Structure formats: structure tokens, C-alpha cells
Amino acid sequence: MDSTSSASAPPIPVARPRRSGRDARDPAILLSVGRLVEKKGYGDLLAALALLPATLHWRLVHIGHGPERDRLVRQADALGIAQRITWLGAQPHDIVLQHYRGADLFVLASRIAADGDRDGLPNVLMEAQSQRLACVATAVSAIPELIRADETGVLVPPRDPPALAAALERLIGDPELRTRLGAAGHERLVREFGHAHGIDRLAERFGLATPALSACALPSTRR
């Protein structure tokens, strides 16, 4: 991820768009931020997206780079969903922040790689929750320590595209549920994770008025 940062961040939006996937002219925006490597599970995410009903309108925006990009682009094309995906590559922090705030749902399909590599607690999930963005993730490593299933987000088993597709379909179609999960995730992040993960110091680094995530900085660039 590009290490460029903005000097400050505007307040978190009071309300997000209430897209439900029913309007082809205004599809639900799914966001994922992460390196394109095996442990991030992007192949599983693409397989899940291909299982969504044809009548459900969505777009996936991906931010990040990595060695699997070309393979994943080919997979999306083979699945017939390439036209619904935007691969933005690495972006500076202010652009990433804009996408967190403009998206309807954050998704991360982490898995344990063949060589045993795995995520710990991905910063991108904390970033998304800091912006009151509802998250769908896999129950891998420390992710369940951050996301309480159906309370502060939705968890599905890793390597299970049908389960991930069901969770995405449910949340795309229910803006009120996304709002509740996003608010609950933000509240718990501030209460239980802010100081422990140094987010207060990072907020100061980004020139914010307070360190309490009222207008959250993006944590480290490690994905």
C-alpha cells in the first residue's frame, strides 16, 4: 500500500447510501483492501461473487497489489464477473479513506495458505470498522477476536464460497442490518481496541483533532 498520507480526515459520514442491490443503475459497492496473495483468499471471494443471483446488482472495488493479480483477473473473466470489478492497485491513504466511506460493505476472505502463512488481525478490518463500515470476513486466526459474529460483523468459514456468497447476498439486500453492524463494530473498536493497537497515536500522526477515532486515521500500511 502506498505510504502517502493525508494531513487530516473529515468527520465520519452521518449516514451511508442505502443501496440494496436492486437498482442496476446504483449497484451496491463492495470494498476489499489487501495484498493479492494466497492467504487473503481473493480466489474464494471471486468464486463467491459468481454465485450471487443475477438479479442482485453489485460492484467490487479492490485496493492493493500483489503477485496473484494477473491470475485473479483471469479468474474473474472466466467467471463472467470481470466487468463488475475494479482493480485499483496501491493507493495513497486519502484515496483509501474515500473508498471506505463510499462503500456499502467491506469483505475479506482470509484463509490459511498452503505454506501455512495466515493473517493475524488484519488492520484493514479495523480501518473499515473505524468508518462504521459493516464487515464480512472469515473466521481465521485472530479475526474472531475483533468481529463478533452477527453482532459487530458477519463471519463465515474460510475456503467456503457458498457460505460467503450467502452472507454477501444477505447484507447487500439489507441496508439496515449493515448500519447496525457498522455502528456496533465501530463502538467495540473504540472501546476495546483503540489504545491496545495504538490507534490513538496513529490518529495524532494523521493530524486529527482527537485520538479517539471520531475521525479515524488509517492504521499501518501493512496488509
Side-chain angles (χ1 to χ4, degrees):
M1 185 68 63
D2 192 312
S3 61
T4 304
S5 65
S6 58
S8 62
I12 299 170
V14 174
R16 292 182 176 277
R18 296 178 59 82
R19 304 181 186 100
S20 64
R22 297 185 181 92
D23 187 349
R25 298 166 300 178
D26 190 21
I29 304 300
L30 315 181
L31 175 66
S32 192
V33 180
R35 293 189 65 228
L36 295 171
V37 294
E38 183 187 356
K39 71 177 180 179
K40 297 297 184 180
Y42 283 109
D44 296 332
L45 174 57
L46 295 180
L49 292 171
L51 295 174
L52 293 175
T55 55
L56 194 67
H57 304 288
W58 55 269
R59 290 197 61 81
L60 173 67
V61 175
H62 175 267
I63 296 175
H65 56 76
E68 291 203 333
R69 185 184 188 280
D70 289 346
R71 183 188 68 78
L72 292 167
V73 169
R74 291 194 300 270
Q75 180 183 351
D77 187 57
L79 291 170
I81 58 173
Q83 73 280 5
R84 295 187 173 199
I85 301 175
T86 301
W87 306 94
L88 290 180
Q91 296 293 322
H93 286 294
D94 55 343
I95 300 300
V96 179
L97 183 60
Q98 290 176 23
H99 283 282
Y100 278 121
R101 293 180 174 179
D104 297 293
L105 183 62
F106 188 86
V107 56
L108 190 68
S110 300
R111 60 190 295 182
I112 299 174
D115 63 0
D117 192 18
R118 68 192 71 189
D119 275 324
L121 179 54
N123 284 332
V124 294
L125 291 171
M126 291 190 288
E127 293 176 6
Q129 289 191 331
S130 79
Q131 303 305 306
R132 297 191 176 96
L133 180 59
C135 297
V136 176
T138 46
V140 171
S141 301
I143 292 174
E145 295 179 16
L146 176 68
I147 296 180
R148 290 178 173 169
D150 295 320
E151 180 182 334
T152 64
V154 172
L155 292 175
V156 300
R159 299 174 179 262
D160 192 342
L164 181 56
L168 292 173
E169 182 178 359
R170 173 188 173 203
L171 285 173
I172 290 171
D174 194 339
E176 292 184 4
L177 176 58
R178 296 198 307 262
T179 298
R180 291 198 301 272
L181 292 174
H186 176 267
E187 179 183 357
R188 184 165 185 261
L189 179 71
V190 172
R191 185 178 67 247
E192 300 186 23
F193 287 84
H195 293 288
H197 289 269
I199 295 176
D200 52 345
R201 294 189 298 275
L202 286 161
E204 293 176 354
R205 170 192 166 195
F206 277 72
L208 303 176
T210 69
L213 293 178
S214 59
C216 181
L218 301 182
S220 93
T221 59
R222 292 183 61 191
R223 306 294 173 192

